[in-house]
Amino acid sequence: MTHFSDMLEGYARFRSSEWVSEREQWEKLGEGQSPKVMVIACSDSRVDPTQIFDTRPGEIFVVRNVAALVPPFETTPGRHGVSAALEFAVQFLKVEEILVMGHGYCGGCQAALSRAMDGMEPGEGGFIANWISLLDEAQAKVAHSHGTHGDAAERAMEMEAVKVSLANLRTFPCVRQKEKSGELTLHGAVFAISDGLLRVLDETSGDFSAV
């Protein structure tokens, strides 16, 4: 298991190897960033987008949260972290593509499906329950077709969660406008931890296919 002391040892290796060999790239990044793709992924420690897509520093703009969710556009008081990151990526960095990437064995999706945290107090599961309530309609759909337990239900929930986030992305005026003008393209995918396959969503058919 990696502790902070192990991380510091890793930093020392990075500082003496990659930092040196990629010095020119780091100098360019010191002047600014210009990623073309934004990735919205889960906070799960097993699914690091930079590793999965073998990208270099500065190539993708990543936002990670429980279940890779995007809330709908809203202006109510509160802290809108995902919305702020999205606004920055689309309006200031001018990314050309956004990928919502779910993954297999997602704890957030499992909790949304089972509703195991419903009624819990903030700090004891309530924050998670409130966040994954974004998936309530998807949960009802999956539960009707697959039940609330088992691999089939969980995989279906993970895929529906990606579709929910894509739909919510399109509630943002800046996203809608740029997608309509062809300046922005949205993608959905699910990474399977069990077999390492990336399954990409075809929004026309609603199916996910391995690439």
Side-chain angles (χ1 to χ4, degrees), residues 16 26 38 48 61 74 94 109 162 169 186 189 201 207:
S16 63
W26 287 107
M38 177 184 191
D48 180 359
F61 184 78
E74 55 189 2
K94 301 188 184 305
C109 287
V162 170
L169 278 171
L186 306 186
L201 171 64
D207 297 329

Short mmCIF file of all heavy atoms in Angstrom, two decimals, residues 16 26 38 48 61 74 94 109 162 169 186 189 201 207:
data_model
loop_
_atom_site.label_atom_id
_atom_site.label_comp_id
_atom_site.label_asym_id
_atom_site.label_seq_id
_atom_site.Cartn_x
_atom_site.Cartn_y
_atom_site.Cartn_z
N SER A 16 14.23 13.09 -10.80
CA SER A 16 15.54 12.75 -11.35
C SER A 16 15.46 12.09 -12.72
O SER A 16 16.47 11.93 -13.39
CB SER A 16 16.28 11.81 -10.39
OG SER A 16 15.57 10.59 -10.24
N TRP A 26 8.11 20.52 -19.92
CA TRP A 26 7.73 21.19 -18.69
C TRP A 26 7.92 22.70 -18.80
O TRP A 26 7.14 23.48 -18.25
CB TRP A 26 8.52 20.63 -17.51
CG TRP A 26 8.07 19.26 -17.10
CD1 TRP A 26 8.73 18.08 -17.30
CD2 TRP A 26 6.84 18.91 -16.47
NE1 TRP A 26 7.99 17.03 -16.83
CE2 TRP A 26 6.83 17.51 -16.31
CE3 TRP A 26 5.75 19.66 -16.01
CZ2 TRP A 26 5.77 16.84 -15.69
CZ3 TRP A 26 4.69 18.99 -15.40
CH2 TRP A 26 4.71 17.59 -15.25
N MET A 38 -11.23 17.53 -22.71
CA MET A 38 -11.57 17.49 -21.29
C MET A 38 -12.11 16.10 -20.99
O MET A 38 -12.94 15.57 -21.73
CB MET A 38 -12.64 18.53 -20.96
CG MET A 38 -13.11 18.50 -19.52
SD MET A 38 -14.46 19.70 -19.23
CE MET A 38 -14.53 19.66 -17.43
N ASP A 48 -7.24 5.92 -13.62
CA ASP A 48 -6.57 7.19 -13.89
C ASP A 48 -6.57 7.45 -15.40
O ASP A 48 -5.93 6.72 -16.15
CB ASP A 48 -5.13 7.13 -13.36
CG ASP A 48 -4.36 8.41 -13.60
OD1 ASP A 48 -4.92 9.36 -14.19
OD2 ASP A 48 -3.18 8.47 -13.19
N PHE A 61 -7.39 17.79 -19.95
CA PHE A 61 -7.86 18.53 -18.78
C PHE A 61 -8.84 17.62 -18.05
O PHE A 61 -9.88 17.24 -18.62
CB PHE A 61 -8.55 19.82 -19.23
CG PHE A 61 -8.99 20.71 -18.10
CD1 PHE A 61 -8.09 21.51 -17.44
CD2 PHE A 61 -10.33 20.76 -17.73
CE1 PHE A 61 -8.50 22.35 -16.41
CE2 PHE A 61 -10.75 21.60 -16.70
CZ PHE A 61 -9.83 22.40 -16.04
N GLU A 74 -27.33 25.05 -13.44
CA GLU A 74 -28.19 25.70 -12.46
C GLU A 74 -27.44 26.88 -11.86
O GLU A 74 -26.21 26.90 -11.83
CB GLU A 74 -28.62 24.72 -11.35
CG GLU A 74 -27.46 24.03 -10.65
CD GLU A 74 -27.92 22.92 -9.71
OE1 GLU A 74 -29.14 22.66 -9.65
OE2 GLU A 74 -27.06 22.32 -9.04
N LYS A 94 -10.95 26.47 -24.28
CA LYS A 94 -11.55 26.17 -25.58
C LYS A 94 -11.23 24.76 -26.06
O LYS A 94 -10.78 24.52 -27.18
CB LYS A 94 -11.12 27.21 -26.63
CG LYS A 94 -11.52 28.63 -26.25
CD LYS A 94 -11.27 29.62 -27.36
CE LYS A 94 -11.59 31.04 -26.92
NZ LYS A 94 -12.97 31.22 -26.37
N CYS A 109 -21.92 4.30 -8.51
CA CYS A 109 -23.04 3.75 -9.25
C CYS A 109 -23.72 2.62 -8.48
O CYS A 109 -24.95 2.48 -8.51
CB CYS A 109 -22.58 3.25 -10.63
SG CYS A 109 -22.22 4.59 -11.79
N VAL A 162 -23.22 7.48 -17.50
CA VAL A 162 -22.53 8.23 -18.55
C VAL A 162 -23.54 9.01 -19.39
O VAL A 162 -23.33 10.19 -19.71
CB VAL A 162 -21.70 7.28 -19.45
CG1 VAL A 162 -21.17 8.01 -20.68
CG2 VAL A 162 -20.55 6.68 -18.65
N LEU A 169 -24.59 17.74 -19.54
CA LEU A 169 -23.66 18.64 -20.22
C LEU A 169 -24.40 19.53 -21.21
O LEU A 169 -24.11 20.72 -21.35
CB LEU A 169 -22.58 17.84 -20.96
CG LEU A 169 -21.38 17.35 -20.16
CD1 LEU A 169 -20.53 16.40 -21.00
CD2 LEU A 169 -20.54 18.53 -19.68
N LEU A 186 -18.95 15.82 -28.01
CA LEU A 186 -19.08 15.09 -26.75
C LEU A 186 -18.96 13.58 -27.01
O LEU A 186 -19.44 13.08 -28.03
CB LEU A 186 -20.43 15.37 -26.09
CG LEU A 186 -20.80 16.83 -25.84
CD1 LEU A 186 -22.10 16.91 -25.04
CD2 LEU A 186 -19.69 17.58 -25.13
N ALA A 189 -17.91 6.96 -22.65
CA ALA A 189 -17.23 5.68 -22.65
C ALA A 189 -17.24 5.08 -21.25
O ALA A 189 -17.46 5.78 -20.26
CB ALA A 189 -15.79 5.82 -23.14
N LEU A 201 -19.51 4.88 -26.37
CA LEU A 201 -20.94 5.02 -26.62
C LEU A 201 -21.23 5.52 -28.03
O LEU A 201 -20.67 6.51 -28.48
CB LEU A 201 -21.54 5.99 -25.61
CG LEU A 201 -23.00 6.42 -25.83
CD1 LEU A 201 -23.94 5.22 -25.71
CD2 LEU A 201 -23.39 7.52 -24.85
N ASP A 207 -25.74 2.16 -27.66
CA ASP A 207 -24.90 1.02 -27.28
C ASP A 207 -23.46 1.41 -27.05
O ASP A 207 -22.96 2.38 -27.64
CB ASP A 207 -24.94 -0.04 -28.39
CG ASP A 207 -26.33 -0.61 -28.59
OD1 ASP A 207 -27.10 -0.67 -27.61
OD2 ASP A 207 -26.65 -0.98 -29.74
#
